[in-house]
Amino acid sequence: MTTQKPTHSRNRLVALAALIALSLTTATADVVFAPYFRDNAVLQRDKDVPVWGRADPGEKVTVTFQSQTVSATADDMGRWSVKLAPMPANATPASLVAKGKNTVTVGNVLVGEVWLCSGQSNMAWVVKPMNNAANEIAAANYPLIRHFKTKLVPSSTPADDAVGEWTVCSPETAGEFSATAFFFGRELFKKLNVPIGLLNSSWGGTQIEPWMSLRGLASDPAARAVFERWQDEVESYPYRAEKYEKDSDQWKKNRDTAKKEGKNFTTAAPKKPEGPTSRRAPCSLYNGMIAPFVPAAIRGVIWYQGEANASRYAEYRTLFPTMIRQWRADFQQGDIPFYYVQLANYARGNNWAFLREAQEYALKLPNTGQAVTIDIGASNDIHPRNKQDVGLRLALNAFAHTYKLGGEYSGPMFAGATKENKTLRVKFTHAAGLKSKDPNMPGFVIAGADKRFFPAQARIEGETIVVSSERVKDPVAVRYAWDNDPPAPLYNGADLPASPFRSDDWK
């Protein structure tokens, strides 16, 4: 015999199901902006400004900003997108409104210059631990400078959403801004006097491969090695995880034993391996931390990364330019400016001279520039605390190229070496006022055909340098500052350091 539940119970279940369905429908029906469009945002001036988000499939969405009103219909996936016509810089706060079945309003929005700031830890490090931080923070009353910090989220597929918010610069907030981005943005603001938006999407300890899209990475000659290396990491993870647990247990026992015996215990704890879904996975950070902002209107990109790729510098020669081309293609705004920081001096580095050279390959692309920092690193700290000069040197590239304001933006750049008897004469570009801050001019080495390099004597003659060595009778190659942490005394009249160089291509 089957017992039927009372009718009123069934009705309650039906009503509850209907309520749940209604709540789900209401949630999905809400018009929402993409993550870039939050309170305090800065929109890019003088360009078409894409504005996009989500709504119900087929829902009409109307966007209003300043005097503009534009509409679009959400597609089958609920995605909608409109374009605002180019606007001049405007420091008067305005509201960005999207209206469909509901209305969503983003407040305190400005129009100015927007730069995407990305890379690894030297971009991620904040203002608080930098040189002169207390004074810098106390003076950081710049309400027209805004900073967006993207939450650290890797993803296996391109994400639509990212977590973060725009923060107005003030003495209360500036300490948590990316230091490189802040000092760059401050230089721009002082020179341009327009709102500045700094979209900070960076993560410490990351290689370049996670910051590339699958399509971009797959097009690069190094892709096969990258994916094979990652596959090895994935397959070895269970073993590495098991080994970590055993090593960690043993470390704890050794620590507790030392404590009982009153002995000092200074052995570092084992480092837990990162799992298959992590910041190390190819394409994971592009998917999770760059893709959600495509195709936002931006002026350009500043980039500080490379330390994690130094052991594979040959790959970086192609990976870095490939990433630049891929980002430009994705943002669909032509060859947007891309300015990057060449690695600073660091005694514990490995192959950093070759990685700096690999970074310099990107200068072959149009609208790129580098900030040389070989003179402002810290020998025993991979995170130099002088980010003020880093930001300034990046800004000099922007002033000269992006904003057409002129001025020197580069230190001396190697332009060739010619043999003169037993010497080599080294030529440069950007060499007006060539000088050395050390009268002994260390940092130069030369070699003959045997490829054995010896320290060289160097002297400045106009905008060239003549190098020689008693130990090299027939020199054929010269190098300068070609080490992890080299002496680097050479500057031009604008007080910008010479980029490390070599005239040979020996491995």
Side-chain angles (χ1 to χ4, degrees), residues 419-495:
K419 187 176 179 182
E420 296 181 0
N421 298 319
K422 296 181 179 181
T423 71
L424 291 175
R425 184 177 296 274
V426 185
K427 300 176 182 179
F428 302 89
T429 57
H430 302 279
L434 190 64
K435 62 185 179 182
S436 175
K437 295 190 176 182
D438 184 332
N440 294 319
M441 292 187 66
F444 288 91
V445 294
I446 61 174
D450 61 0
K451 301 182 181 181
R452 297 177 62 199
F453 282 92
F454 296 95
Q457 290 75 50
R459 68 178 185 275
I460 296 173
E461 291 188 359
E463 295 184 1
T464 68
I465 291 180
V466 178
V467 293
S468 62
S469 171
E470 293 182 356
R471 303 183 68 179
V472 182
K473 303 302 182 183
D474 189 18
V476 299
V478 56
R479 295 179 175 182
Y480 167 75
W482 200 260
D483 203 347
N484 299 318
D485 184 28
L490 195 62
Y491 291 76
N492 60 15
D495 217 32

Side-chain angles (χ1 to χ4, degrees), residues 33 36-39 41 43 49-52 63-66 68 80 82 84 94-98 103-109:
F33 281 114
Y36 178 93
F37 306 101
R38 299 286 187 266
D39 290 346
L43 304 182
V49 177
V51 179
W52 69 98
V63 175
T64 303
F65 183 70
Q66 294 181 352
Q68 299 190 51
W80 59 265
V82 301
L84 300 175
S95 293
L96 177 66
V97 180
T103 299
V104 58
T105 300
V106 174
N108 195 24
V109 178

Side-chain angles (χ1 to χ4, degrees), residues 175-246:
E176 295 300 328
F177 285 17
S178 156
T180 295
F182 170 70
F183 292 121
F184 169 76
R186 187 178 68 178
E187 295 294 336
L188 295 189
F189 176 74
K190 288 181 176 180
K191 181 78 74 171
L192 304 175
N193 196 30
V194 300
I196 303 295
L198 304 168
L199 182 55
N200 174 17
S201 199
S202 56
W203 195 338
T206 55
Q207 300 164 333
I208 195 170
E209 302 95 304
W211 293 105
M212 303 174 70
S213 72
L214 179 58
R215 182 181 62 183
L217 182 54
S219 71
D220 192 273
R224 181 172 181 175
V226 169
F227 287 120
E228 287 179 351
R229 196 161 47 241
W230 179 246
Q231 185 62 32
D232 288 343
E233 286 199 39
V234 172
E235 292 175 356
S236 68
Y237 176 72
Y239 165 78
R240 290 183 289 117
E242 181 181 358
K243 184 176 185 302
Y244 163 77
E245 294 296 338
K246 292 179 179 179

